Amino acid sequence: MRKFQRETVTSRWSSFFRLLAIGGWVAGLLVLTGGWAQAAKSKKLCTATSVAAFKACYASTLDDFWIAVGKCDNLSDVSERKDCLREAKPERKDNAVSCREQFAARRDVCDALGEDPYDPQIDPADFVVGIDNPFLPLVPGTTMVYQKGEERIEVKVTAETKEILGVTCVEVEDTVTIDGELVEETLDWYAQDMLGNVWYFGELSRNYEDGELNNLDGSWQAGVDGAKPGIVMLADPMVGDVYRQEFLLGEAEDMARVVARDEEVTVPHPPGTFTTLKTEEWNPLEPEMLENKFYAPGVGLVLAVDVVTGEREELIDIIME
């Protein structure tokens, strides 16, 4: 993660990773289990969560590896069997490295937010009807159109609502097409509290391939399987603010940090140039990715830039019904 200065991993974690490197995964897991117990006992619950997620990630890596080994063992040709086993080992190593990077990214989040558990208390009485946060106004009948490479993205604020945890959420339909072919269709649910914070309560994500529904990866809903809502836009965002935008461990862990309040950007949609709120957004599940987003007062998101590749998602039109 590029957001925070990463501290040296403690000796307990260092010992664990050294054991993994030499293949001593059983001993490594025992060390990590001790780390989890110590973190939980000392009420470092954010760190304990990070350790538990790492254990799950690495256990899944081992599961995939040994299933691959079992498949290799059922090849009659000795040469093919050796090649199969040779290919399985690097994948296990790569997956283990990915688990370690996720762990480090989650530890950075703990450094930024503290060790308290993430458990926002949602009271429906604290929420208002409609969303008029100046940096993320969601007016029914408004469609924001963006271009990202070959992708055309349309974000439509519908007149539909959905009740989640007793809160009436605004439903937003997000569609992604390439050359007119549907790639992704998502329903997102938002609500604004009395202070002006805009909360994200979940999404239903339909992913398509060759015009057919392929999967629902990325879908989650607050209150289901431990998922919790997060804040996608603060009422009064200040430089340095860090916040969770969603939370379902291992599935939805988007984070954001406010970088600037006066960043000037130019996009195709007239008038073209906006003075914006700039955020830095990332996900510990994909620590190599980092995105800057730019929100214009009274408009909303006007630009998103992939910091690694430089790819831009630009506002090209606003359609009002």
Side-chain angles (χ1 to χ4, degrees):
M1 187 185 299
R2 302 170 179 81
K3 273 63 57 188
F4 310 104
Q5 184 65 38
R6 183 173 298 156
E7 297 179 359
T8 302
V9 180
T10 64
S11 59
R12 182 180 295 275
W13 312 131
S14 298
S15 299
F16 167 66
F17 290 129
R18 283 198 298 272
L19 286 166
L20 287 185
I22 62 175
W25 60 272
V26 173
L29 287 177
L30 288 174
V31 172
L32 192 59
T33 298
W36 170 84
Q38 180 176 330
K41 185 176 180 180
S42 63
K43 298 190 183 302
K44 292 185 177 181
L45 297 178
C46 183
T47 294
T49 298
S50 302
V51 174
F54 180 89
K55 291 173 65 179
C57 182
Y58 196 71
S60 177
T61 293
L62 292 175
D63 181 65
D64 291 343
F65 172 71
W66 288 113
I67 290 295
V69 169
K71 291 178 179 178
C72 294
D73 289 340
N74 277 281
L75 295 174
S76 299
D77 186 278
V78 175
S79 178
E80 289 184 5
R81 187 161 62 247
K82 288 182 178 180
D83 288 342
C84 180
L85 290 169
R86 192 177 300 113
E87 292 174 2
K89 291 179 180 179
E91 184 174 355
R92 180 191 66 175
K93 182 178 179 180
D94 290 344
N95 289 340
V97 169
S98 178
C99 291
R100 177 177 176 174
E101 290 175 345
Q102 290 178 15
F103 174 71
R106 289 191 178 101
R107 289 291 307 281
D108 285 339
V109 171
C110 295
D111 288 342
L113 298 182
E115 289 289 351
D116 289 340
Y118 182 69
D119 193 20
Q121 301 303 301
I122 302 300
D123 183 347
D126 293 335
F127 288 80
V128 299
V129 176
I131 297 175
D132 61 2
N133 182 301
F135 291 109
L136 195 64
L138 297 179
V139 181
T142 304
T143 299
M144 308 281 282
V145 185
Y146 304 88
Q147 193 71 36
K148 180 182 179 182
E150 297 181 347
E151 295 181 354
R152 177 183 172 89
I153 303 162
E154 297 188 8
V155 181
K156 179 181 180 180
V157 184
T158 75
E160 302 297 320
T161 61
K162 182 179 178 66
E163 186 174 300
I164 301 176
L165 298 180
V167 177
T168 299
C169 300
V170 173
E171 186 168 274
V172 176
E173 183 179 42
D174 187 332
T175 59
V176 181
T177 58
I178 298 179
D179 294 329
E181 182 175 305
L182 184 63
V183 175
E184 182 179 346
E185 183 179 37
T186 304
L187 295 179
D188 296 299
W189 302 299
Y190 303 94
Q192 182 173 302
D193 65 26
M194 297 176 66
L195 297 177
N197 301 299
V198 180
W199 290 76
Y200 187 31
F201 279 78
E203 66 179 274
L204 173 61
S205 182
R206 303 183 181 95
N207 301 293
Y208 293 84
E209 187 172 328
D210 297 326
E212 298 291 332
L213 180 62
N214 183 263
N215 60 67
L216 302 178
D217 291 352
S219 300
W220 66 279
Q221 182 176 315
V224 178
D225 294 331
K228 300 177 183 182
I231 293 177
V232 292
M233 182 54 65
L234 295 168
D236 185 22
M238 302 299 292
V239 174
D241 286 344
V242 179
Y243 48 98
R244 292 189 186 275
Q245 296 184 308
E246 57 182 12
F247 189 75
L248 175 56
L249 190 62
E251 298 289 340
E253 299 184 38
D254 282 0
M255 298 288 305
R257 180 169 72 98
V258 178
V259 176
R261 288 179 57 104
D262 56 357
E263 192 83 5
E264 191 169 277
V265 299
T266 300
V267 296
H269 179 72
T273 300
F274 299 90
T275 300
T276 66
L277 171 78
K278 178 182 179 181
T279 64
E280 188 175 64
E281 304 189 7
W282 73 98
N283 188 326
L285 295 170
E286 300 175 289
E288 73 284 355
M289 298 180 68
L290 181 64
E291 190 173 46
N292 284 143
K293 290 187 177 181
F294 303 83
Y295 299 86
V299 180
L301 179 67
V302 296
L303 175 66
V305 180
D306 187 312
V307 175
V308 178
T309 66
E311 187 174 37
R312 292 165 64 93
E313 178 182 321
E314 301 176 310
L315 178 67
I316 61 172
D317 198 8
I318 299 178
I319 302 172
M320 304 293 295
E321 291 184 356

